Amino acid sequence: MDQPPSVPPPFPSGPPRLPAKVAAWRWWIHLVVIGSYPLVIGLMSMVMPSRQTGDAGPALGTDAGGLLVASGLTMAMFAVIFAVGWVASRATVDDLRLRWRRGWAALPLGFAYSLALRMLAGVAVVFVGLFLVVSGKVKRDDLSEFITDNKPDVEAVVSVGSLGDNPAYYVLSLTLVSFVVAGFREELWRSSTFAALEKLFPKSARSLGGKAGAILLTAVVFGLGHWPQGWLAMILTGSLGLGLGTIIMVHRSIWIAVLAHGFFDAASLALLPLLPKLLESAKHLSGQ
């Protein structure tokens, strides 16, 4: 009598193994080490002796060589902090939202979002101005001068003179600094913080309110990290953090946010050398 054909087992190598659950304390290490990064950087810049005496130059130096060294040190420091947090949590590519999505459409999307971020920053400035006037802290006629006097200390980060006079410094600022040192580093920080919050508070992470809370928390930390540049810089970067965090949440990927961040910073740096000329032209026209 013929034997019935043997049926291969459904799992030739045994049943698939589910990924081991990472202990909560490991994710807490990840959150504390990586999540506090902007605050640590902000605090370090405040307590540096050169900053306290006013003798420090721009953080990115005044020439292409200094910019490359400063950028390398910044990325190396972040890499060490990120590595410590990652070793604890072993966050996956999906945890960190590192998959590229939307194909080539990510490029125009990133550019479009950068324009939206600029509008968001403008709205934030308007609301700050309205609050100052309504609360009586600043007279309406003095508002423009007050905001100008308290504008972000751009010279603490980049040399505006070198942007106008040094082509290599200018190109590196618009590419390496805008898209890698700022865009990639800061959005990887943001997505890493999101990953820890989602693992530690899974029920909240699945709700719209929980996602909004995570976006708000990272925006506040991001803004506070820019406190050494002035209170207006803190408000502006905090509002940008709201937009960038929303982009990451909506698209489940950091890359569109990296592009949006990079395009935003590149456009801002590109305009810096032109601002004095534009202001001078405006004054000349108003005097005619």
Side-chain angles (χ1 to χ4, degrees):
M1 184 176 180
D2 294 336
Q3 295 291 330
S6 59
V7 179
F11 304 109
S13 302
R17 295 182 179 180
L18 297 175
K21 185 177 180 180
V22 178
W25 65 268
R26 290 182 173 274
W27 279 107
W28 276 112
I29 292 176
H30 174 115
L31 178 61
V32 172
V33 172
I34 298 179
S36 63
Y37 173 75
L39 300 178
V40 172
I41 296 299
L43 181 61
M44 287 177 59
S45 65
M46 291 179 66
V47 301
M48 287 174 61
S50 57
R51 293 293 177 195
Q52 294 177 338
T53 59
D55 298 331
L60 293 175
T62 57
D63 55 29
L67 183 148
L68 287 172
V69 170
S71 298
L73 291 174
T74 299
M75 294 302 293
M77 180 178 180
F78 176 73
V80 171
I81 292 175
F82 178 82
V84 172
W86 181 84
V87 167
S89 66
R90 298 300 177 93
T92 67
V93 168
D94 290 323
D95 290 335
L96 299 174
R97 295 173 169 83
L98 289 176
R99 297 193 185 279
W100 182 278
R101 302 186 188 277
R102 295 300 185 100
W104 287 107
L107 293 172
L109 266 176
F111 182 77
Y113 277 130
S114 73
L115 299 179
L117 290 174
R118 195 162 299 281
M119 292 177 62
L120 180 63
V123 170
V125 172
V126 169
F127 272 103
V128 169
L130 288 174
F131 171 78
L132 293 173
V133 172
V134 172
S135 63
K137 296 182 180 297
V138 179
K139 295 181 179 179
R140 185 175 60 180
D141 295 339
D142 300 332
L143 181 60
S144 178
E145 182 180 355
F146 179 84
I147 292 179
T148 300
D149 292 340
N150 291 276
K151 67 182 184 299
D153 186 8
V154 178
E155 287 282 2
V157 180
V158 66
S159 171
V160 177
S162 296
L163 285 173
D165 301 333
N166 190 324
Y169 188 94
Y170 184 79
V171 171
L172 288 171
S173 296
L174 268 61
T175 54
L176 175 66
V177 172
S178 297
F179 287 90
V180 179
V181 179
F184 175 71
R185 175 177 60 99
E186 293 178 0
E187 298 319 308
L188 181 57
W189 162 79
R190 202 181 315 276
S191 66
S192 299
T193 305
F194 285 161
L197 292 172
E198 289 171 351
K199 295 296 183 180
L200 292 169
F201 308 101
K203 291 184 179 179
S204 297
R206 290 192 290 269
S207 68
L208 183 60
K211 288 181 171 61
I215 293 170
L216 178 60
L217 176 62
T218 55
V220 170
V221 173
F222 189 57
L224 289 174
H226 290 78
W227 175 256
Q229 295 181 39
W231 66 268
L232 187 55
M234 182 181 68
I235 293 174
L236 288 174
T237 52
S239 65
L240 292 176
L242 290 174
L244 291 164
T246 302
I247 294 170
I248 291 178
M249 284 290 189
V250 169
H251 293 283
R252 296 178 294 112
S253 171
I254 74 166
W255 298 111
I256 297 177
V258 169
L259 291 169
H261 195 152
F263 283 128
F264 180 93
D265 284 1
S268 300
L269 292 173
L271 290 173
L272 280 177
L274 303 177
L275 285 180
K277 298 178 182 179
L278 293 174
L279 291 175
E280 186 65 27
S281 298
K283 291 180 180 179
H284 178 70
L285 291 173
S286 63
Q288 287 184 337

